[in-house]
Amino acid sequence: MSESLSAIVVAAGRSQRMGFDKLLTPLSGRPLLFHTLDRLLRTELPSEIILVVRPGSEAEMQAVVAPLNEKGQIRLVPGGAQRQDSVQAGLQAVSDSSEFVLVHDAARPFVTRELVDVVLAAAKLSDAAVCGAPCSDSLKEVAEDGLVTQTIDRSKLWTVQTPQIFRTSLLREAYEVALKSGATFTDDTAVVEKIGHPVRIVLYNGINLKVTTPADWKLAEAFLRLGDAESGPGMVLRKYLHDMNNHLTPLLGYAYLLANEFPEESRQRKFATSIQTSSERCQVTTADMQKLVRELFPRKTE
């Protein structure tokens, strides 16, 4: 799987809404870009990462990449004026042997193996896939004077994120058409939709924050600090869940043995069976909680 998946990380923006170069600024002790690349490498899925950077920033970006690039997986290429120009530059650098290509925002530092797996599985079905979630806020169309002109039905609307994964040949074809059309795109799935190819969207409820505003910066810093600290909530939750499992396993065994000691319809048999059922449900809940903790507070080895 990893041999056929390449990744393009778009890091050529100017952080205008943030007011400073967010990708190179330390966030919880490391540059924001470092966190994104580190998490992507931890998935162990892409065989190569093409980092598209702003021309003139190569030396600074290389300094961030150096501690992560032991296997030479990360290659830098200069980007363009628009996002679509940068993705096109990244596509040109992707290996010809790549079957699928993943496009990801450098400012989304919470990518996980689970997230990439689910989007890749959808891309294998439809050749183009993106993660997202149904719109939860009310949507308004607003005129230049600040007055609402209409309320938009949100029932069929989703917000989309990255990673977005495509069959490499499809995305290359779509971008060739896009360049000839002269149209401007801010989303890679829109480029594919333009040539009439359907895109599959998959629900993702995990943390996949894009750091765009100062408020996002503070929130991302809190998540990273809590997740990486050995004494933080992640480690505490892991310990509690581990202890809970250690208690549930013998309880489940005792309940099973006890139930078999009594007649089928006796009150004692029903009571023991009830304990057994409750223990089984607790084990399922604990497993779900452990999965969530691994996603929110991943260790370096996960």
Side-chain angles (χ1 to χ4, degrees):
M1 180 185 297
S2 61
E3 294 178 359
S4 64
L5 178 67
S6 298
I8 297 172
V9 176
V10 186
R14 296 187 177 276
S15 306
Q16 292 178 340
R17 280 174 286 184
M18 186 67 75
F20 57 89
D21 193 333
K22 61 188 178 186
L23 296 180
L24 295 173
T25 301
L27 177 67
S28 189
R30 293 278 196 174
L32 171 57
L33 177 61
F34 179 96
H35 292 294
T36 302
L37 294 173
D38 184 37
R39 292 289 183 98
L40 188 56
L41 286 169
R42 282 194 230 170
T43 68
E44 298 183 335
L45 288 171
S47 59
E48 62 178 358
I49 297 176
I50 310 302
L51 179 63
V52 187
V53 303
R54 188 175 67 254
S57 68
E58 289 89 348
E60 295 171 293
M61 293 292 190
Q62 188 62 55
V64 175
V65 169
L68 297 169
N69 211 17
E70 293 182 3
K71 298 180 181 179
Q73 288 175 270
I74 307 173
R75 291 186 283 123
L76 273 63
V77 299
Q82 304 290 334
R83 187 183 190 280
Q84 65 194 55
D85 301 321
S86 295
V87 176
Q88 174 69 2
L91 271 173
Q92 291 175 349
V94 166
S95 300
D96 291 336
S97 61
S98 172
E99 185 178 1
F100 290 93
V101 60
L102 174 156
V103 183
H104 189 58
D105 297 323
R108 291 189 189 272
F110 297 103
V111 60
T112 64
R113 172 68 181 256
E114 179 187 7
L115 174 55
V116 176
D117 277 341
V118 72
V119 181
L120 181 57
K124 288 182 177 180
L125 292 175
S126 303
D127 295 337
V130 58
C131 60
C135 288
S136 58
D137 295 328
S138 296
L139 300 173
K140 305 285 185 180
E141 184 178 289
V142 182
E144 292 183 3
D145 59 5
L147 296 178
V148 174
T149 57
Q150 67 170 322
T151 298
I152 300 172
D153 180 13
R154 71 183 184 195
S155 61
K156 295 183 179 180
L157 299 180
W158 284 52
T159 59
V160 297
Q161 306 163 359
T162 67
Q164 302 179 4
I165 301 180
F166 310 87
R167 194 168 293 276
T168 306
S169 58
L170 171 65
L171 191 59
R172 282 177 167 156
E173 175 192 350
Y175 263 99
E176 287 178 6
V177 175
L179 288 177
K180 293 177 182 177
S181 72
T184 300
F185 302 91
T186 58
D187 174 79
D188 302 297
T189 55
V191 178
V192 171
E193 291 164 19
K194 185 68 175 178
I195 65 171
H197 193 94
V199 175
R200 186 177 297 273
I201 191 167
V202 293
L203 177 65
Y204 185 65
N205 287 321
I207 295 174
N208 194 24
L209 173 70
K210 183 178 182 182
V211 181
T212 305
T213 67
D216 297 332
W217 185 270
K218 292 179 181 178
L219 188 58
E221 186 173 37
F223 282 135
L224 289 168
R225 184 176 63 250
L226 294 176
D228 290 339
E230 288 301 311
S231 60
M235 290 300 297
V236 174
L237 286 170
R238 288 172 191 272
K239 181 180 182 305
Y240 286 155
L241 291 171
H242 178 74
D243 290 346
M244 187 181 298
N245 255 338
N246 284 345
H247 292 304
L248 284 172
T249 300
L251 180 63
L252 186 60
Y254 296 151
Y256 177 79
L257 292 173
L258 187 62
N260 291 327
E261 293 295 319
F262 300 107
E264 184 70 31
E265 298 299 325
S266 66
R267 293 179 59 187
Q268 295 92 334
R269 177 69 172 265
K270 291 179 180 179
F271 180 68
T273 302
S274 177
I275 295 175
Q276 182 181 347
T277 301
S278 296
S279 300
E280 290 172 346
R281 290 176 178 172
C282 285
Q283 280 193 320
V284 171
T285 301
T286 302
D288 289 341
M289 291 174 67
Q290 287 174 323
K291 181 179 178 181
L292 181 60
V293 168
R294 286 195 297 271
E295 179 180 323
L296 292 175
F297 308 111
R299 288 171 169 167
K300 294 289 184 183
T301 55
E302 293 179 340

